[in-house]
Amino acid sequence: MTAINRTTLREQVVDKLRAAILDGTFRPGEKMAEVELAAQFGVSRGTVREAMRTLHNSGLLQGEERNSLHVRRLTGAEIAELFDVRAALEGHAVVAIMASPEHDAMIDALEARLPEIEAGLSYAEKFEVDLRFHEELCRLSGNATLLGMWTSIKDLMRVAVVSGPDESGTSLMTKAHHQPIIDAMRTGDPGRARAALAQHMAAAAEVWNNKADA
Protein backbone atom coordinates (compact mmCIF):
# COMPACT_ATOMS: atom_id res chain seq x y z
CA MET A 1 0.00 0.00 0.00
CA THR A 2 1.28 3.47 -0.91
CA ALA A 3 0.68 7.01 0.32
CA ILE A 4 -2.39 8.72 -1.11
CA ASN A 5 -3.14 12.27 -2.23
CA ARG A 6 -4.90 14.82 -0.08
CA THR A 7 -8.37 14.81 -1.64
CA THR A 8 -11.25 12.98 0.10
CA LEU A 9 -8.77 11.48 2.52
CA ARG A 10 -11.17 9.49 4.67
CA GLU A 11 -12.84 7.88 1.64
CA GLN A 12 -9.49 6.99 0.13
CA VAL A 13 -8.26 5.43 3.35
CA VAL A 14 -11.53 3.51 3.70
CA ASP A 15 -11.09 2.14 0.17
CA LYS A 16 -7.45 1.23 0.76
CA LEU A 17 -8.17 -0.54 4.04
CA ARG A 18 -11.21 -2.36 2.64
CA ALA A 19 -9.16 -3.62 -0.30
CA ALA A 20 -6.32 -4.70 2.00
CA ILE A 21 -8.72 -6.63 4.22
CA LEU A 22 -10.40 -8.36 1.31
CA ASP A 23 -7.21 -9.27 -0.54
CA GLY A 24 -5.77 -10.83 2.61
CA THR A 25 -3.12 -8.19 3.37
CA PHE A 26 -4.85 -7.86 6.74
CA ARG A 27 -6.00 -11.26 7.96
CA PRO A 28 -9.07 -12.02 10.10
CA GLY A 29 -8.25 -11.23 13.71
CA GLU A 30 -5.33 -8.91 12.89
CA LYS A 31 -5.20 -5.71 14.94
CA MET A 32 -5.30 -2.40 13.09
CA ALA A 33 -2.39 -0.19 14.19
CA GLU A 34 -3.57 3.42 13.93
CA VAL A 35 -0.12 5.04 14.24
CA GLU A 36 1.54 2.78 11.66
CA LEU A 37 -1.34 3.15 9.20
CA ALA A 38 -1.29 6.93 9.50
CA ALA A 39 2.43 6.96 8.72
CA GLN A 40 2.02 4.52 5.85
CA PHE A 41 -0.73 6.52 4.17
CA GLY A 42 0.77 9.90 5.00
CA VAL A 43 -2.36 11.12 6.76
CA SER A 44 -3.31 12.10 10.30
CA ARG A 45 -4.27 9.57 12.95
CA GLY A 46 -7.67 11.25 13.05
CA THR A 47 -8.25 10.45 9.37
CA VAL A 48 -7.29 6.82 9.93
CA ARG A 49 -9.52 6.71 12.99
CA GLU A 50 -12.49 8.01 10.98
CA ALA A 51 -11.85 5.48 8.22
CA MET A 52 -11.65 2.63 10.70
CA ARG A 53 -14.86 3.82 12.34
CA THR A 54 -16.57 3.55 8.93
CA LEU A 55 -15.29 0.00 8.48
CA HIS A 56 -16.29 -0.84 12.05
CA ASN A 57 -19.83 0.35 11.33
CA SER A 58 -19.98 -1.71 8.14
CA GLY A 59 -18.83 -4.86 9.94
CA LEU A 60 -15.34 -5.34 8.50
CA LEU A 61 -13.69 -4.40 11.79
CA GLN A 62 -14.71 -5.30 15.32
CA GLY A 63 -13.64 -4.50 18.85
CA GLU A 64 -13.55 -1.42 21.03
CA GLU A 65 -13.00 1.73 19.00
CA ARG A 66 -9.66 3.52 19.41
CA ASN A 67 -8.02 0.69 21.34
CA SER A 68 -8.42 -2.76 19.85
CA LEU A 69 -10.08 -2.67 16.46
CA HIS A 70 -9.20 -5.76 14.47
CA VAL A 71 -10.31 -7.45 11.25
CA ARG A 72 -13.63 -9.19 11.66
CA ARG A 73 -13.56 -12.97 11.81
CA LEU A 74 -17.00 -14.38 11.08
CA THR A 75 -17.94 -17.67 12.70
CA GLY A 76 -19.85 -20.35 10.85
CA ALA A 77 -22.97 -19.42 12.81
CA GLU A 78 -22.62 -15.75 11.84
CA ILE A 79 -22.21 -16.67 8.18
CA ALA A 80 -25.34 -18.83 8.35
CA GLU A 81 -27.24 -15.90 9.88
CA LEU A 82 -25.97 -13.56 7.18
CA PHE A 83 -27.24 -15.77 4.38
CA ASP A 84 -30.54 -16.24 6.21
CA VAL A 85 -30.96 -12.45 6.22
CA ARG A 86 -30.05 -12.28 2.54
CA ALA A 87 -32.58 -15.01 1.74
CA ALA A 88 -35.30 -13.03 3.53
CA LEU A 89 -34.46 -9.73 1.83
CA GLU A 90 -33.94 -11.14 -1.64
CA GLY A 91 -36.92 -13.47 -1.33
CA HIS A 92 -39.08 -10.42 -0.67
CA ALA A 93 -37.50 -8.71 -3.69
CA VAL A 94 -38.30 -11.68 -5.92
CA VAL A 95 -41.97 -11.62 -4.91
CA ALA A 96 -42.16 -7.84 -5.41
CA ILE A 97 -40.76 -8.11 -8.93
CA MET A 98 -43.18 -10.88 -9.84
CA ALA A 99 -46.11 -8.80 -8.56
CA SER A 100 -45.20 -5.83 -10.76
CA PRO A 101 -47.18 -5.19 -13.97
CA GLU A 102 -43.78 -4.94 -15.65
CA HIS A 103 -42.57 -8.28 -14.32
CA ASP A 104 -41.62 -9.78 -17.68
CA ALA A 105 -39.39 -6.85 -18.62
CA MET A 106 -37.90 -6.76 -15.13
CA ILE A 107 -37.07 -10.46 -15.19
CA ASP A 108 -35.51 -9.99 -18.64
CA ALA A 109 -33.38 -7.15 -17.23
CA LEU A 110 -32.35 -9.30 -14.29
CA GLU A 111 -31.46 -12.23 -16.55
CA ALA A 112 -29.21 -9.90 -18.54
CA ARG A 113 -27.26 -9.31 -15.32
CA LEU A 114 -26.60 -12.98 -14.59
CA PRO A 115 -22.96 -13.33 -13.50
CA GLU A 116 -20.49 -13.81 -16.34
CA ILE A 117 -17.22 -14.96 -14.78
CA GLU A 118 -14.45 -14.05 -17.22
CA ALA A 119 -11.06 -15.71 -17.28
CA GLY A 120 -8.38 -13.89 -15.35
CA LEU A 121 -10.62 -12.34 -12.70
CA SER A 122 -9.42 -12.55 -9.13
CA TYR A 123 -11.53 -14.32 -6.52
CA ALA A 124 -12.65 -10.96 -5.11
CA GLU A 125 -13.55 -9.67 -8.59
CA LYS A 126 -15.62 -12.78 -9.26
CA PHE A 127 -17.55 -12.20 -6.08
CA GLU A 128 -18.19 -8.57 -7.04
CA VAL A 129 -19.78 -9.80 -10.29
CA ASP A 130 -21.96 -12.12 -8.21
CA LEU A 131 -22.92 -9.29 -5.87
CA ARG A 132 -23.96 -7.03 -8.74
CA PHE A 133 -26.60 -9.54 -9.83
CA HIS A 134 -28.08 -9.74 -6.34
CA GLU A 135 -27.96 -5.98 -5.90
CA GLU A 136 -29.87 -5.56 -9.17
CA LEU A 137 -32.45 -8.04 -7.89
CA CYS A 138 -32.98 -5.86 -4.83
CA ARG A 139 -33.03 -2.64 -6.86
CA LEU A 140 -35.67 -3.97 -9.25
CA SER A 141 -37.96 -4.66 -6.30
CA GLY A 142 -38.55 -0.91 -6.11
CA ASN A 143 -38.22 -1.06 -2.32
CA ALA A 144 -35.61 1.51 -1.31
CA THR A 145 -35.57 0.38 2.31
CA LEU A 146 -34.91 -3.21 1.29
CA LEU A 147 -32.09 -2.12 -1.01
CA GLY A 148 -30.60 0.02 1.75
CA MET A 149 -30.66 -2.86 4.21
CA TRP A 150 -29.06 -5.18 1.66
CA THR A 151 -26.38 -2.62 0.82
CA SER A 152 -25.58 -2.15 4.51
CA ILE A 153 -24.38 -5.76 4.79
CA LYS A 154 -22.28 -5.84 1.61
CA ASP A 155 -19.00 -5.60 3.52
CA LEU A 156 -20.06 -8.47 5.75
CA MET A 157 -20.80 -10.53 2.65
CA ARG A 158 -17.35 -9.71 1.34
CA VAL A 159 -15.52 -10.64 4.51
CA ALA A 160 -17.51 -13.88 4.76
CA VAL A 161 -16.59 -14.98 1.25
CA VAL A 162 -13.42 -13.23 0.13
CA SER A 163 -11.17 -13.01 3.18
CA GLY A 164 -10.47 -16.73 2.93
CA PRO A 165 -10.52 -17.34 -0.84
CA ASP A 166 -10.98 -20.89 -2.02
CA GLU A 167 -11.53 -21.45 -5.72
CA SER A 168 -13.97 -24.27 -4.97
CA GLY A 169 -16.48 -21.54 -4.11
CA THR A 170 -16.28 -20.09 -7.62
CA SER A 171 -18.95 -22.50 -8.89
CA LEU A 172 -21.45 -20.67 -6.68
CA MET A 173 -20.75 -17.42 -8.55
CA THR A 174 -21.50 -18.68 -12.04
CA LYS A 175 -24.39 -17.92 -14.39
CA ALA A 176 -25.50 -21.56 -14.24
CA HIS A 177 -25.82 -21.45 -10.46
CA HIS A 178 -28.02 -18.34 -10.64
CA GLN A 179 -30.17 -19.33 -13.63
CA PRO A 180 -32.66 -21.41 -11.54
CA ILE A 181 -33.73 -18.20 -9.77
CA ILE A 182 -34.70 -16.65 -13.12
CA ASP A 183 -36.36 -19.84 -14.32
CA ALA A 184 -38.45 -20.07 -11.15
CA MET A 185 -39.51 -16.44 -11.47
CA ARG A 186 -40.70 -17.07 -15.01
CA THR A 187 -43.11 -19.76 -13.79
CA GLY A 188 -45.24 -17.06 -12.18
CA ASP A 189 -45.31 -18.97 -8.89
CA PRO A 190 -43.96 -16.73 -6.09
CA GLY A 191 -43.56 -19.64 -3.70
CA ARG A 192 -41.46 -21.56 -6.19
CA ALA A 193 -39.31 -18.51 -6.91
CA ARG A 194 -38.77 -17.77 -3.24
CA ALA A 195 -37.84 -21.42 -2.68
CA ALA A 196 -35.28 -21.28 -5.50
CA LEU A 197 -33.74 -18.17 -3.96
CA ALA A 198 -33.67 -19.79 -0.51
CA GLN A 199 -32.00 -22.90 -1.92
CA HIS A 200 -29.40 -20.72 -3.65
CA MET A 201 -28.57 -19.00 -0.36
CA ALA A 202 -28.54 -22.24 1.61
CA ALA A 203 -25.98 -23.74 -0.77
CA ALA A 204 -23.73 -20.70 -0.39
CA ALA A 205 -24.11 -20.68 3.39
CA GLU A 206 -23.13 -24.33 3.61
CA VAL A 207 -19.94 -23.85 1.58
CA TRP A 208 -18.68 -20.76 3.38
CA ASN A 209 -19.91 -21.89 6.77
CA ASN A 210 -17.74 -25.00 6.40
CA LYS A 211 -14.76 -22.88 5.36
CA ALA A 212 -15.14 -20.66 8.43
CA ASP A 213 -15.17 -23.64 10.78
CA ALA A 214 -12.41 -25.54 8.98
Side-chain angles (χ1 to χ4, degrees):
M1 294 179 289
T2 58
I4 54 184
N5 63 46
R6 295 288 175 176
T7 60
T8 60
L9 287 178
R10 183 185 62 81
E11 290 82 0
Q12 291 183 62
V13 174
V14 167
D15 289 344
K16 293 282 188 180
L17 290 177
R18 178 184 286 113
I21 290 168
L22 297 179
D23 71 12
T25 300
F26 295 122
R27 302 298 300 167
E30 184 171 347
K31 186 174 180 179
M32 306 300 287
E34 184 179 293
V35 174
E36 287 82 350
L37 288 171
Q40 185 171 357
F41 290 134
V43 299
S44 70
R45 291 178 61 182
T47 298
V48 170
R49 191 178 307 128
E50 291 173 6
M52 291 198 298
R53 183 178 299 117
T54 297
L55 296 177
H56 181 264
N57 291 339
S58 73
L60 278 183
L61 300 179
Q62 63 183 167
E64 296 295 328
E65 289 194 59
R66 298 287 303 274
N67 298 317
S68 60
L69 285 181
H70 54 277
V71 179
R72 179 80 173 267
R73 186 192 302 276
L74 290 173
T75 66
E78 288 172 327
I79 291 173
E81 290 174 355
L82 177 61
F83 280 99
D84 279 347
V85 169
R86 286 190 61 186
L89 290 173
E90 296 184 36
H92 187 87
V94 160
V95 173
I97 290 169
M98 295 174 68
S100 169
E102 305 297 325
H103 58 83
D104 285 335
M106 294 167 76
I107 295 171
D108 286 344
L110 184 61
E111 186 166 26
R113 297 296 294 273
L114 283 168
E116 294 283 358
I117 304 301
E118 300 175 2
L121 292 180
S122 68
Y123 193 80
E125 288 169 336
K126 292 173 185 176
F127 187 59
E128 290 303 315
V129 174
D130 180 291
L131 278 182
R132 284 197 289 272
F133 169 83
H134 291 278
E135 187 164 9
E136 181 68 2
L137 170 64
C138 293
R139 188 190 68 78
L140 286 170
S141 74
N143 188 322
T145 300
L146 184 154
L147 178 60
M149 293 175 68
W150 187 93
T151 302
S152 73
I153 59 174
K154 281 177 74 173
D155 274 347
L156 277 180
M157 299 178 209
R158 291 177 174 122
V159 77
V161 172
V162 180
S163 61
D166 182 331
E167 290 300 320
S168 66
T170 299
S171 63
L172 300 176
M173 306 176 193
T174 62
K175 180 177 181 178
H177 187 66
H178 290 74
Q179 186 69 51
I181 299 172
I182 299 294
D183 294 342
M185 292 175 73
R186 292 199 186 281
T187 69
D189 182 345
R192 182 171 176 180
R194 190 188 284 271
L197 191 284
Q199 184 176 12
H200 178 92
M201 291 298 169
E206 181 177 5
V207 168
W208 284 302
N209 186 323
N210 289 339
K211 294 184 190 308
D213 291 337

